[in-house]
Amino acid sequence: MGLVAVAAIVAGCGSQADTAKQAATAKANAALKLKQARAAKVAAAAKVKANELGQIPVLMFHRIIPNPGTNDDRTPQQFRADLERLVKDGYVPITASELVTGKIGIPAGKHPVVLTFDDSSPSQLTLTGTGEPAPDTAVAILREVAAKNPGFRPVATFYVTRDMFGKSVPEEQAQMLLWLKNNGFDIGNHTRDHHDLRTRSEKEVSEQIGSIAKQIDDLSKIKPDSIALPYGNQPRKKRLAAEGKNYHHAGVFLAGYTPAPSPFSKAFDPLGIPRIKAMEKKGDCAQFCSIAWLDWLKANPDMRYTSDGDLSTVAYPKFKNPYLRPAFAKWNLQY
Ligand SMILES: [Zn+2]
């Protein structure tokens, strides 16, 4: 207030020197405001223990069916319980696209989680005659849990192959993709025929990825910006999973076995982003699947990504600074 009053008196005199003084005062005022705003952001980030260099679980699901044939499948009851656990632990879903492009817009104090579904099976999405998700499909369950828990975003990423949710007619395939697009879901590439790309030639690799990309684009005008590799196996030339004719992916997802680094961390490798299988603590899953990792992240909050609620900053405790990717240096908010 004092500075503003001085500026008003000075403005009354009208000389050039006074105008210069007035400009200097306004500049000082603006700088002070910026400094105060920054200090408020730092305090807010510290208050919620923001850690935007922390790890993010990317959960991998396959079919959601009442009688699982393999341990890749979850029952509708198990999937509902998986989501309710995430709600309880303070997670908010983001899409794979949002992860790989660093657009993690969730409230302060919340943790991002990515829900991914491979192989585009009808158990993930089947539409009724009026265009509603059929009961007990993955999409229907996710929307039910989100409706009961405000703030839990009903978003997920579907990695699509030629088996497009069991549809073979182009118009029906388009209905599925467009329904997902129009309801805020994300579509990713899972290759056309689900071959193991490690054993294929460069030509076959780019053809497997590019042909399904073109089909998805022709049907729905969607250009996926991530891919999940069949069996998690990278082609011998890793770059080919990200770049080729008809496709450009900002991120390439694997199949195992740890949480993913933050896209703002130096540990982030866009050509090999790990995912976690959704599964109880049994056998190999005692340590390396979803329940085990969610327990670990809960017990180690300094390792987990926690948002400061501000999309324009990357907030984290000061001593983690060496891990910030240089590309995000100007976004940094240390406390
Ligand atoms: Zn698959």
Side-chain angles (χ1 to χ4, degrees):
M1 278 312 278
L3 287 175
V4 174
V6 170
I9 293 162
V10 164
C13 301
S15 76
Q16 266 191 359
D18 288 342
T19 309
K21 254 189 213 162
Q22 189 185 356
T25 307
K27 205 173 160 190
N29 263 338
L32 184 66
K33 268 212 181 109
L34 264 180
K35 208 175 154 190
Q36 284 169 341
R38 175 123 186 132
K41 280 188 180 187
V42 168
K47 193 172 168 209
V48 297
K49 297 191 168 71
N51 179 18
E52 297 183 334
L53 297 180
Q55 298 174 38
I56 301 170
V58 179
L59 303 188
M60 178 175 67
F61 295 93
H62 286 81
R63 295 182 302 175
I64 306 296
I65 51 175
N67 299 300
T70 79
N71 68 15
D72 278 340
D73 300 330
R74 302 294 272 166
T75 66
Q77 291 75 13
Q78 285 171 327
F79 180 53
R80 194 171 274 114
D82 288 334
L83 296 177
E84 280 161 1
R85 161 84 195 254
L86 294 171
V87 171
K88 204 168 94 210
D89 283 4
Y91 287 96
V92 173
I94 62 169
T95 63
S97 168
E98 289 165 337
L99 173 74
V100 299
T101 57
K103 295 191 186 98
I104 304 179
I106 61 172
K110 294 290 187 180
H111 319 290
V113 62
V114 185
L115 308 172
T116 66
F117 294 87
D118 288 11
D119 307 342
S120 44
S121 98
S123 73
Q124 297 163 1
L125 180 64
T126 292
L127 295 173
T128 65
T130 54
E132 290 298 314
D136 277 356
T137 54
V139 167
I141 294 168
L142 174 55
R143 300 223 299 176
E144 278 163 33
V145 172
K148 276 190 215 145
N149 297 279
F152 193 79
R153 300 169 71 214
V155 300
T157 299
F158 292 86
Y159 286 110
V160 169
T161 65
R162 71 194 298 179
D163 300 324
M164 279 193 198
F165 306 98
K167 303 295 183 192
S168 50
V169 178
E171 288 77 8
E172 290 183 330
Q173 294 174 336
Q175 282 180 315
M176 305 304 278
L177 295 177
L178 290 170
W179 189 93
L180 290 168
K181 180 185 180 180
N182 293 336
N183 286 279
F185 291 91
D186 180 35
I187 301 289
N189 191 314
H190 199 39
T191 76
R192 188 185 64 208
D193 299 315
H194 208 275
H195 291 150
D196 178 352
L197 298 185
R198 187 186 288 160
T199 62
R200 303 284 162 157
S201 70
E202 286 185 16
K203 186 163 169 274
E204 285 172 303
V205 169
S206 56
E207 212 271 325
Q208 278 293 321
I209 302 172
S211 58
I212 191 80
K214 182 168 187 313
Q215 195 184 347
I216 291 168
D217 190 21
D218 287 348
L219 290 167
S220 61
K221 296 275 163 276
I222 296 167
K223 290 182 172 40
D225 53 12
S226 72
I227 181 171
L229 296 170
Y231 316 103
N233 288 341
Q234 293 172 298
R236 283 180 295 250
K237 191 175 167 189
K238 291 181 187 174
R239 187 87 231 142
L240 215 48
E243 296 286 350
K245 187 171 177 235
N246 291 327
Y247 63 96
H248 167 82
H249 301 134
V252 177
F253 287 85
L254 308 174
Y257 297 96
T258 66
S262 160
F264 312 122
S265 164
K266 277 182 191 163
F268 183 77
D269 173 8
L271 296 184
I273 307 167
R275 294 190 291 167
I276 301 167
K277 180 162 135 176
M279 178 82 181
E280 280 68 30
K281 289 165 124 173
K282 283 190 276 189
D284 285 348
C285 281
Q287 265 184 290
F288 298 114
C289 300
S290 63
I291 304 300
W293 278 119
L294 291 174
D295 286 351
W296 185 84
L297 288 165
K298 194 175 179 182
N300 295 275
D302 57 311
M303 301 301 284
R304 177 163 67 170
Y305 189 112
T306 301
S307 175
D308 73 339
D310 185 345
L311 250 182
S312 69
T313 61
V314 176
Y316 51 88
K318 193 168 279 173
F319 97 107
K320 291 188 190 278
N321 192 49
Y323 286 97
L324 181 67
R325 268 171 81 186
F328 294 97
K330 69 171 193 288
W331 304 65
N332 92 87
L333 190 83
Q334 305 171 41
Y335 63 88

